[in-house]
PDB file of all heavy atoms in Angstrom:
ATOM      1  N   LYS H 320     -34.626   9.943  58.634  1.00  0.00           N
ATOM      2  CA  LYS H 320     -35.807   9.230  58.128  1.00  0.00           C
ATOM      3  C   LYS H 320     -36.780  10.195  57.452  1.00  0.00           C
ATOM      4  O   LYS H 320     -37.266   9.949  56.355  1.00  0.00           O
ATOM      5  CB  LYS H 320     -36.499   8.512  59.297  1.00  0.00           C
ATOM      6  CG  LYS H 320     -37.638   7.635  58.843  1.00  0.00           C
ATOM      7  CD  LYS H 320     -38.391   7.055  60.021  1.00  0.00           C
ATOM      8  CE  LYS H 320     -39.746   6.587  59.528  1.00  0.00           C
ATOM      9  NZ  LYS H 320     -40.744   6.530  60.567  1.00  0.00           N
ATOM     10  N   ASN H 321     -37.028  11.320  58.106  1.00  0.00           N
ATOM     11  CA  ASN H 321     -38.032  12.239  57.575  1.00  0.00           C
ATOM     12  C   ASN H 321     -37.550  13.054  56.379  1.00  0.00           C
ATOM     13  O   ASN H 321     -38.349  13.505  55.578  1.00  0.00           O
ATOM     14  CB  ASN H 321     -38.502  13.198  58.681  1.00  0.00           C
ATOM     15  CG  ASN H 321     -39.165  12.437  59.809  1.00  0.00           C
ATOM     16  OD1 ASN H 321     -39.700  11.349  59.584  1.00  0.00           O
ATOM     17  ND2 ASN H 321     -39.126  12.975  61.018  1.00  0.00           N
ATOM     18  N   ASN H 322     -36.262  13.232  56.269  1.00  0.00           N
ATOM     19  CA  ASN H 322     -35.777  14.133  55.217  1.00  0.00           C
ATOM     20  C   ASN H 322     -34.948  13.474  54.116  1.00  0.00           C
ATOM     21  O   ASN H 322     -34.790  14.048  53.047  1.00  0.00           O
ATOM     22  CB  ASN H 322     -34.925  15.245  55.836  1.00  0.00           C
ATOM     23  CG  ASN H 322     -35.714  16.053  56.829  1.00  0.00           C
ATOM     24  OD1 ASN H 322     -36.674  16.724  56.469  1.00  0.00           O
ATOM     25  ND2 ASN H 322     -35.359  15.947  58.092  1.00  0.00           N
ATOM     26  N   TYR H 323     -34.392  12.321  54.408  1.00  0.00           N
ATOM     27  CA  TYR H 323     -33.446  11.765  53.420  1.00  0.00           C
ATOM     28  C   TYR H 323     -33.675  10.304  53.040  1.00  0.00           C
ATOM     29  O   TYR H 323     -33.570   9.953  51.868  1.00  0.00           O
ATOM     30  CB  TYR H 323     -32.007  11.909  53.945  1.00  0.00           C
ATOM     31  CG  TYR H 323     -31.586  13.346  54.146  1.00  0.00           C
ATOM     32  CD1 TYR H 323     -31.591  13.920  55.416  1.00  0.00           C
ATOM     33  CD2 TYR H 323     -31.208  14.131  53.060  1.00  0.00           C
ATOM     34  CE1 TYR H 323     -31.228  15.241  55.610  1.00  0.00           C
ATOM     35  CE2 TYR H 323     -30.826  15.464  53.243  1.00  0.00           C
ATOM     36  CZ  TYR H 323     -30.845  16.010  54.522  1.00  0.00           C
ATOM     37  OH  TYR H 323     -30.487  17.321  54.698  1.00  0.00           O
ATOM     38  N   LEU H 324     -33.932   9.451  54.009  1.00  0.00           N
ATOM     39  CA  LEU H 324     -33.928   8.008  53.716  1.00  0.00           C
ATOM     40  C   LEU H 324     -35.226   7.557  53.065  1.00  0.00           C
ATOM     41  O   LEU H 324     -36.313   7.881  53.538  1.00  0.00           O
ATOM     42  CB  LEU H 324     -33.714   7.206  55.011  1.00  0.00           C
ATOM     43  CG  LEU H 324     -32.452   7.515  55.808  1.00  0.00           C
ATOM     44  CD1 LEU H 324     -32.363   6.628  57.036  1.00  0.00           C
ATOM     45  CD2 LEU H 324     -31.202   7.338  54.946  1.00  0.00           C
ATOM     46  N   THR H 325     -35.094   6.801  51.997  1.00  0.00           N
ATOM     47  CA  THR H 325     -36.281   6.277  51.322  1.00  0.00           C
ATOM     48  C   THR H 325     -36.842   5.140  52.165  1.00  0.00           C
ATOM     49  O   THR H 325     -36.100   4.288  52.633  1.00  0.00           O
ATOM     50  CB  THR H 325     -35.881   5.698  49.948  1.00  0.00           C
ATOM     51  OG1 THR H 325     -34.814   6.471  49.434  1.00  0.00           O
ATOM     52  CG2 THR H 325     -37.049   5.702  48.997  1.00  0.00           C
ATOM     53  N   GLN H 326     -38.160   5.149  52.359  1.00  0.00           N
ATOM     54  CA  GLN H 326     -38.782   4.117  53.185  1.00  0.00           C
ATOM     55  C   GLN H 326     -39.531   3.110  52.320  1.00  0.00           C
ATOM     56  O   GLN H 326     -39.851   3.370  51.165  1.00  0.00           O
ATOM     57  CB  GLN H 326     -39.763   4.764  54.170  1.00  0.00           C
ATOM     58  CG  GLN H 326     -39.100   5.694  55.164  1.00  0.00           C
ATOM     59  CD  GLN H 326     -38.187   4.976  56.146  1.00  0.00           C
ATOM     60  OE1 GLN H 326     -38.608   4.108  56.880  1.00  0.00           O
ATOM     61  NE2 GLN H 326     -36.899   5.326  56.130  1.00  0.00           N
ATOM     62  N   GLY H 327     -39.778   1.953  52.905  1.00  0.00           N
ATOM     63  CA  GLY H 327     -40.652   0.977  52.266  1.00  0.00           C
ATOM     64  C   GLY H 327     -40.016   0.191  51.132  1.00  0.00           C
ATOM     65  O   GLY H 327     -40.707  -0.473  50.369  1.00  0.00           O
ATOM     66  N   MET H 328     -38.699   0.271  50.978  1.00  0.00           N
ATOM     67  CA  MET H 328     -38.027  -0.507  49.935  1.00  0.00           C
ATOM     68  C   MET H 328     -37.399  -1.740  50.589  1.00  0.00           C
ATOM     69  O   MET H 328     -37.124  -1.756  51.784  1.00  0.00           O
ATOM     70  CB  MET H 328     -36.915   0.318  49.299  1.00  0.00           C
ATOM     71  CG  MET H 328     -37.411   1.560  48.616  1.00  0.00           C
ATOM     72  SD  MET H 328     -37.749   1.231  46.901  1.00  0.00           S
ATOM     73  CE  MET H 328     -37.623   2.863  46.203  1.00  0.00           C
ATOM     74  N   ALA H 329     -37.154  -2.751  49.764  1.00  0.00           N
ATOM     75  CA  ALA H 329     -36.512  -3.956  50.290  1.00  0.00           C
ATOM     76  C   ALA H 329     -35.015  -3.707  50.385  1.00  0.00           C
ATOM     77  O   ALA H 329     -34.271  -3.943  49.444  1.00  0.00           O
ATOM     78  CB  ALA H 329     -36.804  -5.125  49.371  1.00  0.00           C
ATOM     79  N   ASP H 330     -34.564  -3.199  51.522  1.00  0.00           N
ATOM     80  CA  ASP H 330     -33.174  -2.783  51.635  1.00  0.00           C
ATOM     81  C   ASP H 330     -32.275  -3.855  52.243  1.00  0.00           C
ATOM     82  O   ASP H 330     -31.447  -3.571  53.111  1.00  0.00           O
ATOM     83  CB  ASP H 330     -33.082  -1.482  52.446  1.00  0.00           C
ATOM     84  CG  ASP H 330     -33.504  -0.278  51.614  1.00  0.00           C
ATOM     85  OD1 ASP H 330     -33.225  -0.293  50.403  1.00  0.00           O
ATOM     86  OD2 ASP H 330     -34.105   0.652  52.169  1.00  0.00           O
ATOM     87  N   GLY H 331     -32.421  -5.075  51.807  1.00  0.00           N
ATOM     88  CA  GLY H 331     -31.520  -6.139  52.264  1.00  0.00           C
ATOM     89  C   GLY H 331     -30.311  -6.203  51.342  1.00  0.00           C
ATOM     90  O   GLY H 331     -30.440  -5.988  50.136  1.00  0.00           O
ATOM     91  N   CYS H 332     -29.136  -6.480  51.920  1.00  0.00           N
ATOM     92  CA  CYS H 332     -27.952  -6.538  51.053  1.00  0.00           C
ATOM     93  C   CYS H 332     -27.734  -7.939  50.498  1.00  0.00           C
ATOM     94  O   CYS H 332     -26.781  -8.173  49.779  1.00  0.00           O
ATOM     95  CB  CYS H 332     -26.724  -5.984  51.758  1.00  0.00           C
ATOM     96  SG  CYS H 332     -26.050  -7.049  53.030  1.00  0.00           S
ATOM     97  N   TRP H 333     -28.601  -8.870  50.868  1.00  0.00           N
ATOM     98  CA  TRP H 333     -28.663 -10.176  50.215  1.00  0.00           C
ATOM     99  C   TRP H 333     -30.115 -10.639  50.267  1.00  0.00           C
ATOM    100  O   TRP H 333     -30.862 -10.219  51.161  1.00  0.00           O
ATOM    101  CB  TRP H 333     -27.712 -11.188  50.875  1.00  0.00           C
ATOM    102  CG  TRP H 333     -27.839 -12.594  50.341  1.00  0.00           C
ATOM    103  CD1 TRP H 333     -28.163 -13.727  51.042  1.00  0.00           C
ATOM    104  CD2 TRP H 333     -27.663 -13.010  48.974  1.00  0.00           C
ATOM    105  NE1 TRP H 333     -28.190 -14.812  50.205  1.00  0.00           N
ATOM    106  CE2 TRP H 333     -27.891 -14.412  48.923  1.00  0.00           C
ATOM    107  CE3 TRP H 333     -27.356 -12.343  47.781  1.00  0.00           C
ATOM    108  CZ2 TRP H 333     -27.814 -15.143  47.740  1.00  0.00           C
ATOM    109  CZ3 TRP H 333     -27.278 -13.073  46.605  1.00  0.00           C
ATOM    110  CH2 TRP H 333     -27.495 -14.445  46.577  1.00  0.00           C
ATOM    111  N   TYR H 334     -30.489 -11.483  49.341  1.00  0.00           N
ATOM    112  CA  TYR H 334     -31.878 -11.946  49.287  1.00  0.00           C
ATOM    113  C   TYR H 334     -32.284 -12.574  50.623  1.00  0.00           C
ATOM    114  O   TYR H 334     -31.510 -13.304  51.231  1.00  0.00           O
ATOM    115  CB  TYR H 334     -32.051 -12.990  48.179  1.00  0.00           C
ATOM    116  CG  TYR H 334     -31.822 -12.430  46.787  1.00  0.00           C
ATOM    117  CD1 TYR H 334     -30.621 -12.645  46.115  1.00  0.00           C
ATOM    118  CD2 TYR H 334     -32.810 -11.683  46.153  1.00  0.00           C
ATOM    119  CE1 TYR H 334     -30.407 -12.128  44.833  1.00  0.00           C
ATOM    120  CE2 TYR H 334     -32.596 -11.162  44.880  1.00  0.00           C
ATOM    121  CZ  TYR H 334     -31.395 -11.383  44.232  1.00  0.00           C
ATOM    122  OH  TYR H 334     -31.189 -10.875  42.981  1.00  0.00           O
ATOM    123  N   GLY H 335     -33.503 -12.294  51.028  1.00  0.00           N
ATOM    124  CA  GLY H 335     -34.042 -12.943  52.224  1.00  0.00           C
ATOM    125  C   GLY H 335     -33.742 -12.219  53.518  1.00  0.00           C
ATOM    126  O   GLY H 335     -34.152 -12.676  54.574  1.00  0.00           O
ATOM    127  N   CYS H 336     -33.030 -11.080  53.469  1.00  0.00           N
ATOM    128  CA  CYS H 336     -32.764 -10.393  54.731  1.00  0.00           C
ATOM    129  C   CYS H 336     -33.892  -9.420  55.059  1.00  0.00           C
ATOM    130  O   CYS H 336     -33.940  -8.304  54.540  1.00  0.00           O
ATOM    131  CB  CYS H 336     -31.429  -9.647  54.755  1.00  0.00           C
ATOM    132  SG  CYS H 336     -31.178  -9.016  56.429  1.00  0.00           S
ATOM    133  N   SER H 337     -34.793  -9.866  55.932  1.00  0.00           N
ATOM    134  CA  SER H 337     -35.932  -9.014  56.282  1.00  0.00           C
ATOM    135  C   SER H 337     -35.536  -7.916  57.269  1.00  0.00           C
ATOM    136  O   SER H 337     -36.329  -7.032  57.557  1.00  0.00           O
ATOM    137  CB  SER H 337     -37.068  -9.867  56.854  1.00  0.00           C
ATOM    138  OG  SER H 337     -36.563 -10.766  57.811  1.00  0.00           O
ATOM    139  N   MET H 338     -34.322  -7.952  57.795  1.00  0.00           N
ATOM    140  CA  MET H 338     -33.882  -6.849  58.648  1.00  0.00           C
ATOM    141  C   MET H 338     -33.645  -5.597  57.789  1.00  0.00           C
ATOM    142  O   MET H 338     -33.858  -4.475  58.236  1.00  0.00           O
ATOM    143  CB  MET H 338     -32.629  -7.231  59.420  1.00  0.00           C
ATOM    144  CG  MET H 338     -32.208  -6.188  60.415  1.00  0.00           C
ATOM    145  SD  MET H 338     -31.138  -6.831  61.703  1.00  0.00           S
ATOM    146  CE  MET H 338     -32.280  -7.042  63.049  1.00  0.00           C
ATOM    147  N   ALA H 339     -33.206  -5.822  56.559  1.00  0.00           N
ATOM    148  CA  ALA H 339     -33.168  -4.772  55.537  1.00  0.00           C
ATOM    149  C   ALA H 339     -32.626  -3.438  56.043  1.00  0.00           C
ATOM    150  O   ALA H 339     -33.277  -2.395  55.915  1.00  0.00           O
ATOM    151  CB  ALA H 339     -34.575  -4.593  54.955  1.00  0.00           C
ATOM    152  N   CYS H 340     -31.422  -3.470  56.592  1.00  0.00           N
ATOM    153  CA  CYS H 340     -30.905  -2.258  57.240  1.00  0.00           C
ATOM    154  C   CYS H 340     -30.094  -1.374  56.304  1.00  0.00           C
ATOM    155  O   CYS H 340     -29.603  -0.333  56.709  1.00  0.00           O
ATOM    156  CB  CYS H 340     -30.059  -2.639  58.442  1.00  0.00           C
ATOM    157  SG  CYS H 340     -28.414  -3.210  58.009  1.00  0.00           S
ATOM    158  N   ALA H 341     -29.929  -1.809  55.036  1.00  0.00           N
ATOM    159  CA  ALA H 341     -29.069  -1.048  54.120  1.00  0.00           C
ATOM    160  C   ALA H 341     -29.848   0.138  53.545  1.00  0.00           C
ATOM    161  O   ALA H 341     -30.349   0.104  52.423  1.00  0.00           O
ATOM    162  CB  ALA H 341     -28.562  -1.969  53.001  1.00  0.00           C
ATOM    163  N   LYS H 342     -29.944   1.195  54.347  1.00  0.00           N
ATOM    164  CA  LYS H 342     -30.777   2.338  53.952  1.00  0.00           C
ATOM    165  C   LYS H 342     -30.040   3.245  52.965  1.00  0.00           C
ATOM    166  O   LYS H 342     -28.812   3.250  52.893  1.00  0.00           O
ATOM    167  CB  LYS H 342     -31.158   3.174  55.179  1.00  0.00           C
ATOM    168  CG  LYS H 342     -31.774   2.404  56.327  1.00  0.00           C
ATOM    169  CD  LYS H 342     -32.861   1.441  55.942  1.00  0.00           C
ATOM    170  CE  LYS H 342     -34.095   2.104  55.361  1.00  0.00           C
ATOM    171  NZ  LYS H 342     -35.091   1.068  54.934  1.00  0.00           N
ATOM    172  N   THR H 343     -30.824   4.048  52.242  1.00  0.00           N
ATOM    173  CA  THR H 343     -30.190   5.000  51.321  1.00  0.00           C
ATOM    174  C   THR H 343     -30.907   6.344  51.315  1.00  0.00           C
ATOM    175  O   THR H 343     -32.099   6.429  51.597  1.00  0.00           O
ATOM    176  CB  THR H 343     -30.234   4.535  49.839  1.00  0.00           C
ATOM    177  OG1 THR H 343     -31.585   4.588  49.406  1.00  0.00           O
ATOM    178  CG2 THR H 343     -29.670   3.172  49.641  1.00  0.00           C
ATOM    179  N   ALA H 344     -30.129   7.347  50.947  1.00  0.00           N
ATOM    180  CA  ALA H 344     -30.698   8.652  50.610  1.00  0.00           C
ATOM    181  C   ALA H 344     -30.678   8.721  49.087  1.00  0.00           C
ATOM    182  O   ALA H 344     -29.598   8.685  48.486  1.00  0.00           O
ATOM    183  CB  ALA H 344     -29.845   9.751  51.213  1.00  0.00           C
ATOM    184  N   ASP H 345     -31.839   8.781  48.472  1.00  0.00           N
ATOM    185  CA  ASP H 345     -31.918   8.806  47.003  1.00  0.00           C
ATOM    186  C   ASP H 345     -32.025  10.236  46.486  1.00  0.00           C
ATOM    187  O   ASP H 345     -32.528  11.115  47.186  1.00  0.00           O
ATOM    188  CB  ASP H 345     -33.149   8.019  46.536  1.00  0.00           C
ATOM    189  CG  ASP H 345     -33.001   6.539  46.821  1.00  0.00           C
ATOM    190  OD1 ASP H 345     -31.936   5.992  46.498  1.00  0.00           O
ATOM    191  OD2 ASP H 345     -33.940   5.948  47.389  1.00  0.00           O
ATOM    192  N   GLY H 346     -31.589  10.438  45.259  1.00  0.00           N
ATOM    193  CA  GLY H 346     -31.712  11.758  44.631  1.00  0.00           C
ATOM    194  C   GLY H 346     -30.997  12.835  45.415  1.00  0.00           C
ATOM    195  O   GLY H 346     -31.433  13.988  45.480  1.00  0.00           O
ATOM    196  N   PHE H 347     -29.865  12.469  46.024  1.00  0.00           N
ATOM    197  CA  PHE H 347     -29.121  13.401  46.880  1.00  0.00           C
ATOM    198  C   PHE H 347     -28.201  14.259  46.010  1.00  0.00           C
ATOM    199  O   PHE H 347     -27.337  13.737  45.301  1.00  0.00           O
ATOM    200  CB  PHE H 347     -28.312  12.594  47.896  1.00  0.00           C
ATOM    201  CG  PHE H 347     -27.520  13.439  48.844  1.00  0.00           C
ATOM    202  CD1 PHE H 347     -28.130  13.995  49.960  1.00  0.00           C
ATOM    203  CD2 PHE H 347     -26.176  13.691  48.623  1.00  0.00           C
ATOM    204  CE1 PHE H 347     -27.407  14.784  50.837  1.00  0.00           C
ATOM    205  CE2 PHE H 347     -25.447  14.474  49.493  1.00  0.00           C
ATOM    206  CZ  PHE H 347     -26.063  15.023  50.606  1.00  0.00           C
ATOM    207  N   GLU H 348     -28.404  15.563  46.057  1.00  0.00           N
ATOM    208  CA  GLU H 348     -27.607  16.431  45.176  1.00  0.00           C
ATOM    209  C   GLU H 348     -26.305  16.849  45.845  1.00  0.00           C
ATOM    210  O   GLU H 348     -26.290  17.396  46.950  1.00  0.00           O
ATOM    211  CB  GLU H 348     -28.414  17.683  44.802  1.00  0.00           C
ATOM    212  CG  GLU H 348     -27.680  18.481  43.735  1.00  0.00           C
ATOM    213  CD  GLU H 348     -28.505  19.624  43.171  1.00  0.00           C
ATOM    214  OE1 GLU H 348     -29.746  19.606  43.313  1.00  0.00           O
ATOM    215  OE2 GLU H 348     -27.876  20.548  42.611  1.00  0.00           O
ATOM    216  N   LEU H 349     -25.208  16.591  45.147  1.00  0.00           N
ATOM    217  CA  LEU H 349     -23.877  16.891  45.712  1.00  0.00           C
ATOM    218  C   LEU H 349     -23.548  18.367  45.550  1.00  0.00           C
ATOM    219  O   LEU H 349     -23.837  18.967  44.503  1.00  0.00           O
ATOM    220  CB  LEU H 349     -22.825  16.033  45.004  1.00  0.00           C
ATOM    221  CG  LEU H 349     -23.003  14.526  45.194  1.00  0.00           C
ATOM    222  CD1 LEU H 349     -22.141  13.748  44.197  1.00  0.00           C
ATOM    223  CD2 LEU H 349     -22.655  14.105  46.620  1.00  0.00           C
ATOM    224  N   LEU H 350     -22.935  18.933  46.567  1.00  0.00           N
ATOM    225  CA  LEU H 350     -22.604  20.369  46.539  1.00  0.00           C
ATOM    226  C   LEU H 350     -21.126  20.643  46.328  1.00  0.00           C
ATOM    227  O   LEU H 350     -20.727  21.787  46.158  1.00  0.00           O
ATOM    228  CB  LEU H 350     -23.039  21.035  47.857  1.00  0.00           C
ATOM    229  CG  LEU H 350     -24.537  21.029  48.173  1.00  0.00           C
ATOM    230  CD1 LEU H 350     -24.810  21.790  49.458  1.00  0.00           C
ATOM    231  CD2 LEU H 350     -25.339  21.634  47.020  1.00  0.00           C
ATOM    232  N   THR H 351     -20.300  19.612  46.369  1.00  0.00           N
ATOM    233  CA  THR H 351     -18.853  19.837  46.232  1.00  0.00           C
ATOM    234  C   THR H 351     -18.249  18.789  45.296  1.00  0.00           C
ATOM    235  O   THR H 351     -18.922  17.845  44.894  1.00  0.00           O
ATOM    236  CB  THR H 351     -18.127  19.700  47.588  1.00  0.00           C
ATOM    237  OG1 THR H 351     -18.137  18.314  47.971  1.00  0.00           O
ATOM    238  CG2 THR H 351     -18.775  20.521  48.687  1.00  0.00           C
ATOM    239  N   GLY H 352     -16.967  18.996  45.004  1.00  0.00           N
ATOM    240  CA  GLY H 352     -16.163  17.959  44.352  1.00  0.00           C
ATOM    241  C   GLY H 352     -16.459  17.734  42.881  1.00  0.00           C
ATOM    242  O   GLY H 352     -17.245  18.462  42.263  1.00  0.00           O
ATOM    243  N   PRO H 353     -15.835  16.732  42.308  1.00  0.00           N
ATOM    244  CA  PRO H 353     -15.929  16.509  40.857  1.00  0.00           C
ATOM    245  C   PRO H 353     -17.328  16.122  40.388  1.00  0.00           C
ATOM    246  O   PRO H 353     -17.624  16.229  39.197  1.00  0.00           O
ATOM    247  CB  PRO H 353     -14.944  15.359  40.619  1.00  0.00           C
ATOM    248  CG  PRO H 353     -14.766  14.694  41.938  1.00  0.00           C
ATOM    249  CD  PRO H 353     -14.945  15.759  42.962  1.00  0.00           C
ATOM    250  N   TYR H 354     -18.162  15.654  41.296  1.00  0.00           N
ATOM    251  CA  TYR H 354     -19.513  15.246  40.881  1.00  0.00           C
ATOM    252  C   TYR H 354     -20.567  16.263  41.337  1.00  0.00           C
ATOM    253  O   TYR H 354     -21.756  15.956  41.384  1.00  0.00           O
ATOM    254  CB  TYR H 354     -19.819  13.841  41.416  1.00  0.00           C
ATOM    255  CG  TYR H 354     -18.759  12.833  41.029  1.00  0.00           C
ATOM    256  CD1 TYR H 354     -17.907  12.269  41.980  1.00  0.00           C
ATOM    257  CD2 TYR H 354     -18.567  12.478  39.690  1.00  0.00           C
ATOM    258  CE1 TYR H 354     -16.901  11.377  41.618  1.00  0.00           C
ATOM    259  CE2 TYR H 354     -17.573  11.584  39.317  1.00  0.00           C
ATOM    260  CZ  TYR H 354     -16.741  11.041  40.286  1.00  0.00           C
ATOM    261  OH  TYR H 354     -15.753  10.170  39.916  1.00  0.00           O
TER     262      TYR H 354
END
Side-chain angles (χ1 to χ4, degrees):
Chain H
K320 186 186 162 204
N321 298 334
N322 300 295
Y323 298 100
L324 303 181
T325 326
Q326 296 293 301
M328 298 268 203
D330 284 325
C332 73
W333 174 239
Y334 295 101
C336 186
S337 47
M338 186 159 260
C340 78
K342 308 313 295 177
T343 69
D345 292 312
F347 181 82
E348 188 172 341
L349 297 166
L350 297 183
T351 70
Y354 306 111

